[in-house]
Amino acid sequence: MKADKPDPRSISWRARAVRDLESGTASLGIELGSTNIKSTLVAADGTPLASGSSGWENTLVDGHWSYALDSVWEGVQESYRNVASAVEKEYGVPLTSVASFGVSAMMHGYLAFDEQGSLLVPFRTWRDTTTGEAAARLTQLFGVNIPLRWSIAHYYQAIIDGEDHIPRVSFLTTLAGYVHWRLTGNKVLGIGDAVGMFPIDAKTKDYDQTMVAAFDDLTSESPVPCGIASLLPRVLVAGEKAGELTEEGARLLDPSGRLAPGALACPPEGDAGTGMVATNSVRPRTGNVSVGTSIFAMLVLDKPQKMMNPAIDPVATPSGDPVAMVHCNNGAQEVSTWIELFAEVAVAFGKFKINSMDEVYAAILAEALHGDKDCGGVVAYNYLSGEPIAGVGEGRPVITRASNASMSLANFIRAELFSCFATLAMGMDALREEGVGCDTLYAHGGLFRTEGVAQRLLAAALGTPVGLAPSAATGGSWGMAILAMYAVRGDGIPLPDFLADTVFGETKDRIVEPVEADIEGFRAFLTRFKQGLPWAGEAAEAVLNINDTNETE
């Protein structure tokens, strides 16, 4: 099983690892997630050699969720530096070259640059829900669902709003596309990320030219600089060459000067694509669930389908095969907040000595299995931001309960986990109504480091067997490293076959079947959850974010 690291004490393993490091045949994957920037280095067979990370957080800037570009490079450099340090410590050799690399990041959003390459407005992320008017108009124009977070919705909303930067736009891209551009000089994007910028034609594996013409006609009287196609990155599919690490890029990634330029770059991808790769879910009727700050499920389709349901996004695998995606803005971040609070309380009372946060998660999450199946009347809403599927424009976390509810730690943490999965379940119900299904979903994300809890409750929420990917806790950056490895070792083999034979050949599935009592309990919870959505959606009006002003005060 390549996804799991062999015993580092094995002499033969260490010899092969050192050989790959010294010969520069390893591959590097970098993923910029919502709360962590992770880098993973893999050997020539895909086995992880070392990993590193750097934490960061989004902020509200002028009403938009954003990250500063300086923070991008601080985090990327720290993440890489931690990988290089781990390599030298564990294998006794410096990291000076790699065969290939790839960049992945949270998808969609809005990064607009002028001709000189200067950012015109602060980065607007997938988390923004300020593009409702644009998304609705474009959905009607194109005849396919255009989610609020897609780049074209952000761009058109800025046109509608008459933002003064629009005439100066020369290039639009995603976060992964931006980092790749700076490292290689190439303005390209993997198809799985590109589809979150503008709709893709599944046959040509490029932007839909009919929709391009329709958009240009729609904006012909607006002060746009040129046609939309000339502003977008060139679309590539997995296995294609996307440039090389330049001298400038090498110094940007590794300011120490040790890393040599010249590594082959694979197409930059979104975190949805790396999740599919990390869970071996790129064939039709396979699917996966990624749980992080956001939560989303992706089911690979047998053929393209036009679905107008706003809960379903038309996206693609890194090879360009059609995918139906249910994306929820709010995932496990609020669960993490509460667990960290409980850890502080335990420490304050001297009841718990924290050796690692993994121990804390294991202790607290396990309590959820001892709660009432329906959470005993406790209901939680983990909406830190707006949630389009639920019809919530602006989010505030809310916890409530029936007056006679059983308020225990077990019921509380079970309600938090069910809340994490509730909106996804609503979207998956809509997907089933479209006739789309899958045999098993594979999950990944840090929440699954504690085995047997989140996996079991997710299976109950979705009514579907859930497998746990071998790379469950670190999947994204490892999946990106595998795509980088595929670019140099794929040899024309289709991506699904390459993953099945080269990467996952010895993997044994760890699948949990949904328990009927858990399913019934979740459905009872979901009924209460839906009933409370109207006032949960109004919470933002009653509780302002810090530094917001109340005009009625």
Side-chain angles (χ1 to χ4, degrees), residues 441-510:
L441 285 168
Y442 286 86
H444 72 116
L447 193 63
F448 298 100
R449 274 204 291 262
T450 301
E451 287 195 42
V453 181
Q455 184 183 8
R456 172 175 164 175
L457 297 186
L458 178 61
L462 302 185
T464 302
V466 172
L468 195 62
S471 53
T474 59
S477 58
W478 180 75
M480 195 67 239
I482 296 301
L483 285 173
M485 185 181 80
Y486 178 62
V488 292
R489 305 190 184 282
D491 296 325
I493 302 170
L495 180 61
D497 295 339
F498 179 81
L499 294 179
D501 298 337
T502 304
V503 181
F504 289 94
E506 301 172 18
T507 299
K508 294 182 179 180
D509 293 342
R510 294 174 285 170

Side-chain angles (χ1 to χ4, degrees), residues 286-324:
T286 62
N288 76 95
V289 176
S290 176
V291 182
T293 301
S294 64
I295 180 170
F296 49 86
M298 290 163 293
L299 277 65
V300 186
L301 306 176
D302 295 305
K303 58 184 179 180
Q305 290 181 232
K306 278 196 173 183
M307 291 177 279
M308 291 290 288
N309 193 310
I312 303 169
D313 300 358
V315 294
T317 71
S319 296
D321 295 320
V323 173

